[in-house]
Each structure stands twice: as C-alpha cells, then as structure tokens.
C-alpha cells in the first residue's frame, strides 16, 4: 500500500490495558468492630458467667462508640478544612460535565512539555501540575507514545489520531523512496503531512484555532492557512513566559473570536535530557520551571475568570533514558557476515533503519545481520534485533508506509548503534526506542469541565487524544486510528 492512502484506517485501536491498582485493603476499622458474640456458652438466665459477659459487652460497646465518635470528628475536620486535598474518590460524586460559566463554547488548550518522562513530576515539588492532577484526570501510569518514540512522529500522532505509518511522519528525518527528497524538521510542504490535524478539523467546522509551535502547524494544508494572528512559526529562542502570555491574551478577545483549540509547546525538559540524561539535577530544574509556567498560566486564566471553563490537556511526546558510549553496537563489526555501507542507513539510533539498494534482497540482509548478532562475537549484539518491517510486532503499527525502510532494527533500552568505533566516551539521554519500554512513557493530565476531579485512568496510546478533543469540542473528527468509544471511558457525560 502507498504511504498516501488512508483507506484502511479503522477506529479499532483500544486503550492499552495495564494492571489496575490493587483494591484498597479491607477497612481496618471493620475488623476492630467485629465481635464473636457466640463464643460464650448459651445465655441461660441461670448462667454463672452472665454478669461478666454483660460487663465485657458493655465495655466493648462503649469503646466502639468512642472510636466511632472520634472517627466522625476527624472526618469532619479533614473534609471541612480548606487546605485539605481533594478526596481521591471525589470524582464519584460527579455524574456529568460541569456547565460553562464565562465561555460560550468549550475551549481546549493542548500543552506539550517535550521529553517530560512519566515520573519527572515526582522529582521536585510541582504544586501547579499537582493542582491539575488533583482536580482533574490523569493517566495513572503515564501516556504511551507511538513508535518510534520521537518528537515529530508523536506530536503529529497526538493531533491527527494516526500512527506514523498513516500520517506520513515516520521519523524526524527520512527519505522519500520515490523522489529521493529528504524530510527534515524544517519541511513544511503539505505532501509530507498526511491526515487531518486538529487545527484543520476545527477550522472545517467554522471555529478558530491557534497554534503556538507544534510540528505540522506551519503547513498550509486544506482549510488551514497558518493565519499570522493565530499561528506562530517556530522560533526556539522565544521565552517560554512570552508564549504563555500570548496564549492568555487570546482570552482577552471577544468571546466569538477566542480560538476553541490552542496549542502551547515547550522544548524542556527534552533539551536537558539529551545532554545529561534523565537523572541529573538539570532535569529537576527544568521540571520546576515547567511547573512555574503552568502556575503562570493558571493564574492568568483565573484573573480572566475562565480557568474552570477551559479544558487543559497537558502531555509530553515521549520519555527519556540514560545512554553511555559503553553501550554501543557497531555495524562494522558485522562485516564477517554482511557489510552495511553508510549510504544504506537512514537512521542509526535509537531506531535502526536500513534501505538496501535495488538488487539486494532485504530478507537476506536481515538474516545475515541477525546471524552475526546471535554469534556472540559482536559487542553488545544481543541488544539489537533486526526485522523486515512487515515482520515487526504488529503492536508497533510500523509497516504500512513505503516511507519506512524495509529493514528495521529494535535496540534495547539505553543502547545505541553507530557505524564504526570511535574514542568518544560520552553519556547523555535518548528516546525513540520501543514504546513498550516504560522509560519512554510520558504524562497525560486533563483538567476542565468534562474531566472528573481526582480520577485515575489506565494508560493509553496518544492516538486516542484526537477523538478526546473532538468530543470535548462536540465536532466531527476525521478518520483515525483511535477508538471512537474511547472518550466515553475518560470524559464525564454531558450535563442533562
């Protein structure tokens, strides 16, 4: 099938199931209050034990009353305290979406913190992100990126609901096999970007959309013309605070002019993660800064009286894992089995992608590479497995595009592939690995009228977010790989 075809798209993808949290253990109070009243002999009027039994029973009853009174008093003080955290089960009291108060139409603000690995929120106090979580809905064990777990494929999957095989952005850099043209992160020609991103869907329904940096948003495609007022061309030097201020100013427009869908993008903590890995103090600083920006956003929305009306969806595009040059696999080490010239390789790491020239059978290349890797004579060879793309695990959804080279190598977490040996010995961080690896997980937080407060949902793939947004905005989405029923498992039903 050609890469431009969307004909086989079906809403068949289901949220990835994860083991649910263990049920809360039985209430210990119940154990304390259960007496074995049948342990004494029959209660005949002439029983010599009756007075003692009566005294014990009365004592236990009084103790129980005191304990229950104390518990009630404690509960009253805790839940009436304005500083008390929302109770985890508070969402069970919400039966439907909360009505809008100061906006005439739902508004979704989609925020990406690039490379925000799941768990980063615990590295340092994050009161503002914590506020969104406590009063919103969170993917309990993180958001699952699509494969490959790279920036451009994942950002475009989030806004199209399509796997990279179908939206066409199969890597951050790749070659068109028909024309030989190179796609880079600066390629804005519509031919590369397939599918229908959310900003285009919104405009198709007569609403306004605004994008403050998002891969694909600068592409003039369909009804989307990247209007100057509402579409910012990427410039990484723009201060994060300025980006937040610009988005806040959209809410100063007349109500009919406010975009109903907005994006906001921050490069951190991905920038730091690549330099120092996921466990460096620089990551902690970057996460604290992102939390401060979320606080600035919340404060601005509150001043405008719309914080409770606006739907904020905060995500990352992928996680991060530490790498060091002692964890290397060299293609030149495979020479006794097969030579892999540099010009065959379109991507080395963390996704190995090889396109042999005409006349060289990809299946033979795969067989010879794997023979060498299994020989025990290739350093770290056991940490790489090479496939024909159509034989990759189907859960990766990484075969249905001719833009994907025919030979794909899956590299174990933290390892890298290079062409030849060097004397470099550097440590840092990387992503792009199999999306089943937990370190590739990122965050999903939804806060707004249609998200229950304090709710945890099982992890899911980011292709589900497109349908989630169209459901919140009450518009018809384009065909995509997400499940049409998914929003009902995450969102509160509309108000009666």
């Amino acid at each position: 099938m050609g890469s431009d075809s969307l004909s086989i798209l079906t809403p068949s993808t289901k949220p990835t199931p994860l083991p649910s949290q263990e049920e809360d253990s039985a209430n210990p109070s119940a154990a304390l209050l259960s007496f074995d009243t049948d342990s004494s002999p029959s209660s005949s009027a002439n029983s010599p034990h009756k007075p003692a039994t009566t005294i014990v029973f009365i004592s236990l009853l009084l103790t129980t009353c005191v304990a229950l009174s104390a518990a009630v008093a404690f509960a009253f003080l805790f839940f009436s305290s304005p500083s008390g955290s929302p109770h985890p089960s508070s969402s069970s009291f919400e039966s439907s979406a909360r009505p809008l108060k100061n906006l005439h139409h739902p508004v979704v603000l989609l925020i990406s913190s690039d490379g925000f690995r799941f768990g980063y929120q615990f590295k340092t106090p994050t009161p503002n992100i914590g506020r969104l979580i406590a009063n919103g809905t969170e993917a309990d064990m993180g958001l699952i990126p699509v494969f490959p777990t790279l920036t451009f494929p994942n950002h475009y999957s989030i806004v199209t609901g399509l796997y990279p095989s179908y939206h066409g952005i199969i890597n951050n850099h790749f070659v068109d096999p028909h024309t030989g043209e190179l796609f880079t992160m600066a390629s804005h020609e519509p031919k590369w970007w397939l599918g229908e991103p959310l900003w285009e869907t919104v405009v198709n329904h007569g609403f306004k959309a605004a994008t403050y940096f998002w891969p694909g948003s600068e592409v003039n495609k369909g009804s989307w013309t990247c209007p100057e007022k509402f579409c910012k061309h990427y410039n990484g030097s723009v201060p994060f605070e300025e980006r937040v201020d610009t988005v806040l100013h959209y809410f100063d427009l007349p109500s009919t002019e406010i975009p109903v869908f907005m994006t906001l993008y921050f490069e951190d903590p991905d920038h730091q993660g690549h330099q120092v890995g996921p466990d460096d103090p620089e990551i902690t600083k970057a996460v604290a800064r992102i939390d401060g920006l979320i606080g600035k956003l919340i404060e601005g929305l509150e001043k405008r009286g719309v914080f409770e009306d606006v739907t904020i969806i905060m995500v990352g595009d992928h996680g991060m894992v530490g790498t060091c040059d002692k964890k290397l696999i060299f293609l030149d080490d495979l020479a006794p089995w097969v030579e892999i010239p540099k010009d065959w390789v379109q991507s080395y790491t963390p996704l190995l992608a090889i396109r042999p020239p005409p006349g060289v059978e990809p299946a033979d290349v795969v067989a010879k590479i794997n023979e060498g890797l299994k020989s025990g004579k290739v350093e770290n060879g056991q940490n790489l497995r090479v496939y024909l793309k159509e034989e990759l695990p189907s859960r990766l959804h990484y075969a249905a595009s001719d833009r994907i080279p025919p030979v794909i190598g899956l590299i174990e977490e933290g390892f890298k592939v290079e062409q030849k040996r060097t004397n470099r010995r550097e440590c840092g961080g990387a992503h792009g690995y199999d999306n089943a690896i937990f370190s590739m997980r990122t965050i999903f937080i939804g806060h707004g009228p249609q998200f229950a407060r304090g709710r945890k949902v099982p992890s899911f793939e980011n292709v589900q977010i497109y349908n989630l947004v169209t459901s919140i905005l009450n518009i018809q989405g384009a065909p995509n790989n997400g499940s049409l029923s998914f929003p009902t498992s995450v969102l509160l039903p509309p108000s009666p």
Side-chain angles (χ1 to χ4, degrees), residues 107-113 143 155 157-160 198-199 210-214 247 260-266 297 310-316 444-445 465-466 468-469:
V107 172
V108 174
L109 172 55
L110 179 62
I111 304 171
S112 170
S113 180
L143 179 68
H155 274 96
S157 284
I158 289 169
V159 294
T160 61
L198 280 164
W199 45 81
T211 57
Y212 209 123
F213 304 163
W214 200 279
V247 168
V260 303
F261 175 71
M262 310 176 193
T263 70
L264 178 59
Y265 171 79
F266 304 118
L297 175 70
V310 175
T311 296
I312 296 174
I313 297 178
M314 183 176 179
V315 298
F444 173 88
I445 305 163
I465 293 175
Y466 178 92
L468 202 60
V469 173

Short mmCIF file of all heavy atoms in Angstrom, two decimals, residues 107-113 143 155 157-160 198-199 210-214 247 260-266 297 310-316 444-445 465-466 468-469:
data_model
loop_
_atom_site.label_atom_id
_atom_site.label_comp_id
_atom_site.label_asym_id
_atom_site.label_seq_id
_atom_site.Cartn_x
_atom_site.Cartn_y
_atom_site.Cartn_z
N VAL A 107 -13.39 25.29 25.18
CA VAL A 107 -12.07 25.65 24.65
C VAL A 107 -11.07 24.63 25.18
O VAL A 107 -11.04 24.35 26.38
CB VAL A 107 -11.66 27.07 25.09
CG1 VAL A 107 -10.21 27.34 24.70
CG2 VAL A 107 -12.58 28.12 24.47
N VAL A 108 -10.26 24.08 24.28
CA VAL A 108 -9.23 23.11 24.65
C VAL A 108 -7.86 23.73 24.43
O VAL A 108 -7.56 24.20 23.32
CB VAL A 108 -9.35 21.81 23.84
CG1 VAL A 108 -8.17 20.88 24.15
CG2 VAL A 108 -10.68 21.11 24.13
N LEU A 109 -7.05 23.73 25.47
CA LEU A 109 -5.66 24.17 25.39
C LEU A 109 -4.78 22.94 25.55
O LEU A 109 -4.73 22.33 26.62
CB LEU A 109 -5.35 25.20 26.47
CG LEU A 109 -3.88 25.62 26.64
CD1 LEU A 109 -3.28 26.11 25.33
CD2 LEU A 109 -3.75 26.68 27.73
N LEU A 110 -4.10 22.56 24.48
CA LEU A 110 -3.24 21.37 24.46
C LEU A 110 -1.80 21.81 24.67
O LEU A 110 -1.23 22.54 23.85
CB LEU A 110 -3.40 20.64 23.12
CG LEU A 110 -2.56 19.39 22.90
CD1 LEU A 110 -2.90 18.30 23.91
CD2 LEU A 110 -2.74 18.87 21.46
N ILE A 111 -1.20 21.36 25.77
CA ILE A 111 0.16 21.78 26.15
C ILE A 111 1.09 20.58 26.03
O ILE A 111 0.80 19.51 26.55
CB ILE A 111 0.19 22.30 27.59
CG1 ILE A 111 -0.79 23.45 27.77
CG2 ILE A 111 1.60 22.75 27.97
CD1 ILE A 111 -0.97 23.87 29.23
N SER A 112 2.23 20.79 25.37
CA SER A 112 3.25 19.75 25.29
C SER A 112 4.52 20.22 25.99
O SER A 112 5.05 21.29 25.67
CB SER A 112 3.57 19.40 23.84
OG SER A 112 4.73 18.57 23.78
N SER A 113 5.00 19.40 26.91
CA SER A 113 6.31 19.60 27.51
C SER A 113 7.20 18.48 26.96
O SER A 113 7.10 17.33 27.39
CB SER A 113 6.21 19.53 29.04
OG SER A 113 7.47 19.71 29.64
N LEU A 143 1.27 8.27 29.81
CA LEU A 143 0.77 8.20 28.44
C LEU A 143 1.75 7.40 27.60
O LEU A 143 2.96 7.57 27.70
CB LEU A 143 0.63 9.62 27.88
CG LEU A 143 0.13 9.77 26.44
CD1 LEU A 143 -1.34 9.34 26.35
CD2 LEU A 143 0.29 11.22 25.97
N HIS A 155 4.24 14.06 18.11
CA HIS A 155 3.42 15.27 18.13
C HIS A 155 2.35 15.24 17.04
O HIS A 155 1.21 15.69 17.26
CB HIS A 155 4.30 16.52 17.96
CG HIS A 155 4.87 17.02 19.24
ND1 HIS A 155 6.13 16.70 19.67
CD2 HIS A 155 4.35 17.82 20.21
CE1 HIS A 155 6.37 17.28 20.84
NE2 HIS A 155 5.29 17.96 21.19
N SER A 157 1.05 12.48 15.73
CA SER A 157 0.06 11.47 16.09
C SER A 157 -0.95 12.02 17.09
O SER A 157 -2.14 11.71 17.03
CB SER A 157 0.75 10.23 16.68
OG SER A 157 1.36 9.46 15.67
N ILE A 158 -0.48 12.84 18.02
CA ILE A 158 -1.37 13.42 19.03
C ILE A 158 -2.46 14.25 18.37
O ILE A 158 -3.63 14.19 18.77
CB ILE A 158 -0.56 14.27 20.03
CG1 ILE A 158 0.29 13.36 20.93
CG2 ILE A 158 -1.48 15.15 20.89
CD1 ILE A 158 1.31 14.10 21.77
N VAL A 159 -2.11 15.02 17.34
CA VAL A 159 -3.10 15.94 16.75
C VAL A 159 -3.84 15.35 15.55
O VAL A 159 -4.78 15.98 15.05
CB VAL A 159 -2.46 17.28 16.34
CG1 VAL A 159 -1.97 18.04 17.57
CG2 VAL A 159 -1.34 17.09 15.33
N THR A 160 -3.46 14.15 15.09
CA THR A 160 -4.20 13.52 13.99
C THR A 160 -4.90 12.24 14.40
O THR A 160 -5.80 11.77 13.70
CB THR A 160 -3.26 13.17 12.81
OG1 THR A 160 -2.26 12.25 13.26
CG2 THR A 160 -2.61 14.42 12.23
N LEU A 198 -5.82 18.55 14.20
CA LEU A 198 -6.94 19.15 14.92
C LEU A 198 -7.22 20.58 14.49
O LEU A 198 -8.39 21.00 14.41
CB LEU A 198 -6.67 19.09 16.43
CG LEU A 198 -6.96 17.75 17.09
CD1 LEU A 198 -6.31 17.65 18.46
CD2 LEU A 198 -8.47 17.52 17.19
N TRP A 199 -6.17 21.38 14.24
CA TRP A 199 -6.43 22.76 13.84
C TRP A 199 -7.19 22.83 12.52
O TRP A 199 -8.03 23.71 12.34
CB TRP A 199 -5.13 23.56 13.77
CG TRP A 199 -3.99 22.88 13.07
CD1 TRP A 199 -3.78 22.79 11.72
CD2 TRP A 199 -2.93 22.16 13.70
NE1 TRP A 199 -2.65 22.07 11.46
CE2 TRP A 199 -2.09 21.68 12.65
CE3 TRP A 199 -2.58 21.90 15.02
CZ2 TRP A 199 -0.94 20.93 12.90
CZ3 TRP A 199 -1.44 21.16 15.27
CH2 TRP A 199 -0.63 20.68 14.22
N ALA A 210 -5.63 28.18 17.25
CA ALA A 210 -4.37 28.92 17.42
C ALA A 210 -3.28 27.93 17.79
O ALA A 210 -3.48 27.08 18.66
CB ALA A 210 -4.52 29.98 18.50
N THR A 211 -2.13 28.06 17.15
CA THR A 211 -1.02 27.15 17.44
C THR A 211 0.21 27.96 17.81
O THR A 211 0.67 28.80 17.05
CB THR A 211 -0.70 26.26 16.22
OG1 THR A 211 -0.41 27.08 15.09
CG2 THR A 211 -1.88 25.37 15.88
N TYR A 212 0.73 27.70 19.02
CA TYR A 212 2.00 28.30 19.40
C TYR A 212 3.03 27.18 19.41
O TYR A 212 3.32 26.57 20.42
CB TYR A 212 1.91 28.97 20.78
CG TYR A 212 2.88 30.12 20.89
CD1 TYR A 212 2.46 31.40 21.20
CD2 TYR A 212 4.24 29.94 20.63
CE1 TYR A 212 3.34 32.47 21.26
CE2 TYR A 212 5.13 30.99 20.68
CZ TYR A 212 4.68 32.25 21.00
OH TYR A 212 5.56 33.30 21.04
N PHE A 213 3.54 26.90 18.22
CA PHE A 213 4.54 25.88 17.96
C PHE A 213 3.95 24.47 18.14
O PHE A 213 3.52 24.10 19.22
CB PHE A 213 5.77 26.02 18.85
CG PHE A 213 6.47 27.34 18.81
CD1 PHE A 213 7.35 27.72 19.80
CD2 PHE A 213 6.26 28.22 17.77
CE1 PHE A 213 8.01 28.93 19.77
CE2 PHE A 213 6.91 29.45 17.72
CZ PHE A 213 7.78 29.81 18.73
N TRP A 214 3.94 23.74 17.08
CA TRP A 214 3.58 22.33 17.11
C TRP A 214 3.98 21.77 15.75
O TRP A 214 3.68 22.37 14.72
CB TRP A 214 2.07 22.13 17.32
CG TRP A 214 1.72 20.76 17.82
CD1 TRP A 214 1.61 19.61 17.07
CD2 TRP A 214 1.47 20.38 19.17
NE1 TRP A 214 1.29 18.57 17.87
CE2 TRP A 214 1.20 19.00 19.18
CE3 TRP A 214 1.43 21.06 20.38
CZ2 TRP A 214 0.89 18.29 20.34
CZ3 TRP A 214 1.13 20.38 21.53
CH2 TRP A 214 0.86 19.01 21.51
N VAL A 247 -0.80 33.17 24.69
CA VAL A 247 -1.99 32.33 24.80
C VAL A 247 -3.02 32.97 25.71
O VAL A 247 -4.22 32.97 25.41
CB VAL A 247 -1.59 30.92 25.30
CG1 VAL A 247 -2.83 30.12 25.71
CG2 VAL A 247 -0.81 30.17 24.24
N VAL A 260 -11.12 28.04 19.77
CA VAL A 260 -11.65 26.96 20.60
C VAL A 260 -10.62 25.85 20.79
O VAL A 260 -10.80 24.98 21.63
CB VAL A 260 -12.95 26.37 20.03
CG1 VAL A 260 -14.01 27.47 19.88
CG2 VAL A 260 -12.72 25.65 18.71
N PHE A 261 -9.55 25.90 20.00
CA PHE A 261 -8.47 24.94 20.15
C PHE A 261 -7.15 25.69 20.06
O PHE A 261 -6.92 26.47 19.14
CB PHE A 261 -8.53 23.85 19.09
CG PHE A 261 -7.36 22.90 19.13
CD1 PHE A 261 -7.23 21.99 20.17
CD2 PHE A 261 -6.38 22.93 18.15
CE1 PHE A 261 -6.14 21.13 20.23
CE2 PHE A 261 -5.29 22.07 18.19
CZ PHE A 261 -5.17 21.16 19.24
N MET A 262 -6.26 25.45 21.04
CA MET A 262 -4.96 26.12 21.08
C MET A 262 -3.89 25.10 21.43
O MET A 262 -4.14 24.15 22.18
CB MET A 262 -4.95 27.23 22.15
CG MET A 262 -6.10 28.20 22.08
SD MET A 262 -6.01 29.38 23.46
CE MET A 262 -7.65 30.12 23.36
N THR A 263 -2.70 25.32 20.90
CA THR A 263 -1.56 24.50 21.31
C THR A 263 -0.50 25.41 21.92
O THR A 263 -0.37 26.58 21.58
CB THR A 263 -0.93 23.74 20.13
OG1 THR A 263 -0.27 24.67 19.24
CG2 THR A 263 -1.96 22.94 19.37
N LEU A 264 0.27 24.83 22.83
CA LEU A 264 1.36 25.53 23.50
C LEU A 264 2.48 24.53 23.69
O LEU A 264 2.25 23.43 24.21
CB LEU A 264 0.90 26.08 24.84
CG LEU A 264 1.91 26.82 25.72
CD1 LEU A 264 2.50 28.03 25.00
CD2 LEU A 264 1.27 27.25 27.04
N TYR A 265 3.70 24.89 23.27
CA TYR A 265 4.80 23.94 23.25
C TYR A 265 6.02 24.48 23.97
O TYR A 265 6.40 25.64 23.78
CB TYR A 265 5.17 23.62 21.79
CG TYR A 265 6.45 22.81 21.64
CD1 TYR A 265 6.45 21.44 21.85
CD2 TYR A 265 7.65 23.43 21.29
CE1 TYR A 265 7.62 20.69 21.72
CE2 TYR A 265 8.82 22.70 21.16
CZ TYR A 265 8.80 21.33 21.37
OH TYR A 265 9.96 20.61 21.24
N PHE A 266 6.63 23.60 24.79
CA PHE A 266 7.89 23.91 25.46
C PHE A 266 8.92 22.84 25.11
O PHE A 266 8.61 21.64 25.15
CB PHE A 266 7.71 23.93 26.99
CG PHE A 266 6.65 24.87 27.48
CD1 PHE A 266 5.54 24.39 28.16
CD2 PHE A 266 6.76 26.24 27.27
CE1 PHE A 266 4.55 25.26 28.63
CE2 PHE A 266 5.78 27.11 27.72
CZ PHE A 266 4.68 26.63 28.40
N LEU A 297 0.19 30.23 33.87
CA LEU A 297 -0.98 30.05 33.01
C LEU A 297 -2.26 30.00 33.85
O LEU A 297 -3.25 30.67 33.53
CB LEU A 297 -0.82 28.76 32.20
CG LEU A 297 -2.01 28.36 31.33
CD1 LEU A 297 -2.16 29.30 30.16
CD2 LEU A 297 -1.84 26.92 30.84
N VAL A 310 -11.99 26.43 30.90
CA VAL A 310 -11.03 25.99 29.89
C VAL A 310 -10.60 24.55 30.16
O VAL A 310 -10.31 24.18 31.30
CB VAL A 310 -9.80 26.91 29.86
CG1 VAL A 310 -8.75 26.37 28.88
CG2 VAL A 310 -10.20 28.32 29.47
N THR A 311 -10.57 23.74 29.12
CA THR A 311 -10.03 22.38 29.23
C THR A 311 -8.53 22.43 28.94
O THR A 311 -8.12 22.81 27.84
CB THR A 311 -10.73 21.43 28.25
OG1 THR A 311 -12.11 21.31 28.60
CG2 THR A 311 -10.08 20.05 28.30
N ILE A 312 -7.74 22.07 29.92
CA ILE A 312 -6.29 21.98 29.75
C ILE A 312 -5.91 20.51 29.63
O ILE A 312 -6.24 19.71 30.50
CB ILE A 312 -5.54 22.62 30.93
CG1 ILE A 312 -5.84 24.13 31.00
CG2 ILE A 312 -4.04 22.38 30.82
CD1 ILE A 312 -5.26 24.80 32.24
N ILE A 313 -5.25 20.17 28.54
CA ILE A 313 -4.70 18.82 28.38
C ILE A 313 -3.20 18.97 28.30
O ILE A 313 -2.66 19.56 27.37
CB ILE A 313 -5.25 18.13 27.12
CG1 ILE A 313 -6.77 17.93 27.23
CG2 ILE A 313 -4.55 16.79 26.90
CD1 ILE A 313 -7.40 17.30 26.00
N MET A 314 -2.51 18.46 29.31
CA MET A 314 -1.05 18.54 29.36
C MET A 314 -0.46 17.17 29.07
O MET A 314 -0.80 16.19 29.71
CB MET A 314 -0.59 19.03 30.74
CG MET A 314 0.92 19.22 30.82
SD MET A 314 1.45 19.90 32.42
CE MET A 314 3.23 19.95 32.15
N VAL A 315 0.43 17.14 28.07
CA VAL A 315 1.04 15.89 27.66
C VAL A 315 2.54 16.11 27.42
O VAL A 315 3.03 17.23 27.37
CB VAL A 315 0.40 15.35 26.35
CG1 VAL A 315 -1.07 15.04 26.54
CG2 VAL A 315 0.62 16.32 25.19
N GLY A 316 3.24 15.01 27.26
CA GLY A 316 4.56 15.01 26.67
C GLY A 316 4.50 14.16 25.41
O GLY A 316 3.47 13.53 25.12
N PHE A 444 -0.06 12.36 30.86
CA PHE A 444 -1.35 12.86 30.38
C PHE A 444 -2.12 13.37 31.58
O PHE A 444 -2.36 12.63 32.54
CB PHE A 444 -2.18 11.77 29.69
CG PHE A 444 -3.58 12.24 29.36
CD1 PHE A 444 -3.83 12.88 28.15
CD2 PHE A 444 -4.62 12.10 30.27
CE1 PHE A 444 -5.11 13.35 27.85
CE2 PHE A 444 -5.89 12.57 29.99
CZ PHE A 444 -6.13 13.20 28.77
N ILE A 445 -2.50 14.64 31.52
CA ILE A 445 -3.32 15.26 32.56
C ILE A 445 -4.43 16.04 31.86
O ILE A 445 -4.14 16.86 30.98
CB ILE A 445 -2.51 16.21 33.45
CG1 ILE A 445 -1.29 15.51 34.04
CG2 ILE A 445 -3.38 16.82 34.55
CD1 ILE A 445 -0.24 16.46 34.59
N ILE A 465 -6.01 10.81 21.71
CA ILE A 465 -6.24 12.20 22.13
C ILE A 465 -7.05 12.97 21.09
O ILE A 465 -7.87 13.83 21.44
CB ILE A 465 -4.90 12.90 22.43
CG1 ILE A 465 -4.28 12.26 23.68
CG2 ILE A 465 -5.08 14.40 22.64
CD1 ILE A 465 -2.89 12.77 24.02
N TYR A 466 -6.88 12.67 19.82
CA TYR A 466 -7.63 13.38 18.77
C TYR A 466 -9.13 13.26 19.02
O TYR A 466 -9.86 14.27 19.04
CB TYR A 466 -7.25 12.81 17.40
CG TYR A 466 -8.00 13.45 16.24
CD1 TYR A 466 -7.48 14.55 15.57
CD2 TYR A 466 -9.23 12.94 15.82
CE1 TYR A 466 -8.17 15.13 14.51
CE2 TYR A 466 -9.92 13.51 14.76
CZ TYR A 466 -9.39 14.60 14.10
OH TYR A 466 -10.08 15.17 13.05
N LEU A 468 -10.59 12.48 21.72
CA LEU A 468 -10.90 13.09 23.01
C LEU A 468 -11.20 14.58 22.82
O LEU A 468 -12.18 15.12 23.34
CB LEU A 468 -9.72 12.89 23.96
CG LEU A 468 -9.95 12.96 25.46
CD1 LEU A 468 -10.94 11.90 25.91
CD2 LEU A 468 -8.62 12.80 26.19
N VAL A 469 -10.36 15.26 22.03
CA VAL A 469 -10.53 16.69 21.81
C VAL A 469 -11.79 16.98 20.99
O VAL A 469 -12.56 17.89 21.32
CB VAL A 469 -9.29 17.28 21.12
CG1 VAL A 469 -9.53 18.74 20.73
CG2 VAL A 469 -8.07 17.20 22.04
#
